[in-house]
Amino acid sequence: MWVVPETEIAGLMTPEAAFDAVEAVFASMAKGDARNFPVVREAIGYEDALYGFKGGFDKAALNLGLKAGGYWPNNQKHGLINHQSTVFLFDPDTGRLAAAVGGNLLTALRTAAASAVSIRHLAPRGAKVLGMIGAGHQSAFQMRAAARLGGFEKVIGWNPHPEMLTRLAETAADLDLPFEAVELDRLGADADVIISITSAFSPLLMDGHVTGRTHIAAMGTDTRGKQELDPALVGRARLFTDEVAQSVSIGEFQHAAAQKAISESDVIAIGRVIIGDHEGRGDAEVTIFDGTGVGLQDLAVAGSVVQRAIEAGIAIDVPI
Ligand code: NAD
């Protein structure tokens, strides 16, 4: 089996490669070539940790496996980040373990790639202002992946904890984009594209905040109970997601669905837009992409990184 340690990922995986891998796997899902397996996520009753597995099989790319890991809230005392994960790939011909790949940076890159894919396919034409809600670890990756698409001339941002906004300001400066901290009503009115990536459990962006043609990538809600958007905003938007069943159960659309403001049939898999089976934004004023995070995304970027690591002579061959 090949081992690609976490420390090597930064030198191997680019946002461009992550974008291509995630766009391809969303397309495979829409064609019926790739399938996510049911997610396992459990409180283990030790160190307050949440642990689980996200797996699947992509018959087109021949990626079979799972990401194992979760959230350890007390990791600071070990000098580690709280989210910890490893991706395991298996040979689909034999079932033998094929690779173990550090999953921490890959998770950030694949999550940012998902919102970037949604922006590429759904943003209003001529989008110039990027609005960021959230200033945690993921937010910098999100901004970088969106900026890479081109066209943005300015970033505006808001965070429930204003002292964290320096991360957004520094990332924008690094990207040579002007940054301004604003209130949510300004953000909703001025931004053409909004990325929300917080750990919120109640709505932050309200229906009244958002005016004009806007695309929203709602990336923070990946668990039952989390929420970033007003269900009334969800109710008037055209809705897209990575995996429809996840969006209405653990994703942002769970709340509008629970209130019967939308139903599962209102939600369109983004892969359908990618393969030309759905028009995408059309004449919708507001589009929302609910990025719930699927195991196939992890397998796609891990598969790509293993190939790169083998080619670069960095992958470690371990007999099993
Ligand atoms: P982080 O801990 O580094 O930052 C947390 C962010 O949420 C900050 O902006 C903080 O101000 C805000 N926040 C914290 N508590 C809050 C509360 N009670 N109410 C409102 N806002 C609050 O986290 P991160 O690594 O940047 O991750 C952000 C979110 O993205 C998390 O919810 C995480 O689970 C989620 N996530 C989703 C995916 C996906 O595929 N959709 C992947 C990775 C992470």
Side-chain angles (χ1 to χ4, degrees):
M1 68 175 283
W2 296 106
V3 173
V4 186
E6 183 67 46
T7 46
E8 299 291 354
I9 305 294
L12 289 166
M13 196 62 184
T14 62
E16 290 76 11
F19 182 100
D20 292 345
V22 168
E23 188 181 50
V25 81
F26 286 164
S28 292
M29 284 162 61
K31 287 185 206 149
D33 289 338
R35 174 165 87 82
N36 290 291
F37 302 153
V39 175
V40 173
R41 196 165 164 87
E42 297 287 332
I44 61 171
Y46 184 75
E47 283 291 340
D48 296 326
L50 284 174
Y51 174 70
F53 317 108
K54 279 186 170 183
F57 179 43
D58 180 349
K59 213 188 289 183
L62 292 181
N63 285 324
L64 171 68
L66 58 91
K67 179 169 82 171
Y71 187 73
W72 272 257
N74 310 316
N75 265 2
Q76 212 175 356
K77 68 185 178 197
H78 302 295
L80 296 169
I81 60 168
N82 293 345
H83 286 99
Q84 290 292 330
S85 62
T86 308
V87 182
F88 297 93
L89 297 173
F90 293 82
D91 179 346
D93 292 314
T94 63
R96 272 174 66 85
L97 182 59
V101 185
N104 296 350
L105 178 57
L106 283 183
T107 298
L109 290 170
R110 65 80 148 144
T111 306
S115 69
V117 166
S118 85
I119 294 167
R120 161 76 52 81
H121 289 279
L122 297 172
R125 198 178 292 275
K128 289 187 171 48
V129 179
L130 174 64
M132 296 290 312
I133 300 176
H137 179 71
Q138 305 289 333
S139 64
F141 293 91
Q142 292 283 327
M143 193 197 298
R144 285 181 194 285
R148 203 199 121 248
L149 300 173
F152 290 112
E153 295 174 356
K154 180 176 184 178
V155 182
I156 56 180
W158 179 88
N159 193 55
H161 307 101
E163 68 281 5
M164 293 173 74
L165 284 168
T166 46
R167 177 180 266 123
L168 297 184
E170 284 164 12
T171 308
D174 203 36
L175 293 163
D176 269 338
L177 289 169
F179 174 77
E180 189 184 353
V182 296
E183 293 305 319
L184 278 171
D185 52 353
R186 260 282 306 284
L187 190 138
D190 289 2
D192 306 301
V193 170
I194 298 172
I195 298 173
S196 62
I197 183 86
T198 71
S199 314
F201 280 84
S202 51
L204 304 171
L205 189 66
M206 305 309 288
D207 190 19
H209 289 146
V210 178
T211 58
R213 284 166 68 77
T214 310
H215 174 62
I216 302 167
M219 305 304 295
T221 300
D222 54 1
T223 306
R224 199 175 294 276
K226 282 189 184 170
Q227 183 174 16
E228 299 186 295
L229 306 182
D230 182 356
L233 176 59
V234 173
R236 78 168 164 101
R238 189 174 280 193
L239 307 178
F240 300 85
T241 190
D242 41 25
E243 174 81 59
V244 174
Q246 273 193 199
S247 74
V248 293
S249 54
I250 60 168
E252 187 59 44
F253 298 156
Q254 63 182 289
H255 306 285
Q259 293 177 10
K260 310 267 185 250
I262 64 161
S263 66
E264 205 168 310
S265 59
D266 295 320
V267 186
I268 302 142
I270 186 127
R272 290 186 53 204
V273 183
I274 296 168
I275 65 171
D277 183 46
H278 188 279
E279 64 169 348
R281 149 160 237 107
D283 59 3
E285 187 170 70
V286 177
T287 51
I288 302 176
F289 171 71
D290 181 2
T292 65
V294 294
L296 284 170
Q297 275 171 270
D298 298 301
L299 305 188
V301 287
S304 170
V305 101
V306 170
Q307 278 314 313
R308 287 161 172 263
I310 293 170
E311 285 161 17
I314 288 170
I316 304 161
D317 194 2
V318 179
I320 52 162

